[in-house]
Amino acid sequence: MIKNFLKNNSLEGILTMAVMVFLLMNYNMIWNYGFAHYPIKKVLLIYPFSFTLVFLVKNIVSFPMTKYIHRSKLIKNKEKKHITFPLWIITINSMICLGLSTYLTHNYPAGHFYSSYIFYWTRTIIVALPLFFYFVRPQVRFHLTNVKKLFRSLV
């Protein structure tokens, strides 16, 4: 059972998404509350719901949209799919999830939903893209490869 789980290619995607959700959620909490009033209990309580929301949005909305965009003639250079596919997924996911969270938490001044949403989304996407491409994806691949090698040597 563990061997099949480690061979599964979606494991890397799920682990990457879990780390990204956790890091971006912490980033947004620290931005909103600061280090002095960082709500660790709130983060641990909200994380499963946030991960579930991001997982559902990715599988229901952003993944099919990105697949459609890549099949159409909108993307000219099909060789760079390893860059453009995650780029579109992160962009669409962050747009939808931040819009929902901004609306549900009322984390904006009265009458300024759209300006607050654009500010939060821009702030998050500026951090999310480099975080994914330069830190999270390489680290998840590195550690997952090492775990697979270790497991193969034990079996």
Side-chain angles (χ1 to χ4, degrees):
M1 183 172 119
I2 294 174
K3 188 184 276 188
N4 291 338
F5 186 69
L6 287 175
K7 284 184 181 178
N8 192 354
N9 290 334
S10 66
L11 178 63
E12 181 183 333
I14 291 172
L15 287 175
T16 304
M17 187 171 46
V19 171
M20 282 293 290
V21 169
F22 184 74
L23 291 175
L24 287 174
M25 197 173 82
N26 282 299
Y27 165 73
N28 284 325
M29 288 289 197
I30 289 171
W31 183 278
N32 289 329
Y33 297 104
F35 283 111
H37 302 290
Y38 179 71
I40 188 70
K41 289 180 184 175
K42 189 181 253 187
V43 169
L44 294 175
L45 181 70
I46 295 173
Y47 178 72
F49 299 111
S50 297
F51 179 75
T52 305
L53 173 70
V54 171
F55 183 79
L56 290 173
V57 167
K58 178 188 170 227
N59 287 330
I60 295 171
V61 179
S62 63
F63 187 76
M65 280 176 76
T66 304
K67 227 159 91 173
Y68 175 76
I69 289 169
H70 275 82
R71 272 193 252 140
S72 69
K73 295 181 181 184
L74 293 172
I75 304 285
K76 300 283 186 218
N77 193 353
K78 304 281 186 191
E79 292 85 36
K80 304 255 188 224
K81 191 175 181 181
H82 68 283
I83 296 172
T84 57
F85 209 85
L87 181 82
W88 278 101
I89 296 260
I90 291 170
T91 304
I92 295 168
N93 260 11
S94 63
M95 287 174 73
I96 293 170
C97 293
L98 275 173
L100 283 171
S101 67
T102 302
Y103 180 74
L104 292 175
T105 60
H106 300 289
N107 193 15
Y108 55 91
H112 295 283
F113 172 75
Y114 294 111
S115 60
S116 294
Y117 167 70
I118 290 170
F119 172 73
Y120 291 137
W121 181 77
T122 306
R123 185 191 73 197
T124 301
I125 205 74
I126 287 171
V127 171
L129 292 175
L131 182 71
F132 174 78
F133 286 111
Y134 296 117
F135 179 72
V136 174
R137 185 166 66 174
Q139 288 296 317
V140 167
R141 283 184 178 168
F142 174 75
H143 291 297
L144 195 59
T145 304
N146 287 340
V147 167
K148 286 179 180 180
K149 285 179 186 176
L150 177 71
F151 185 73
R152 278 189 222 125
S153 68
L154 293 176
V155 175

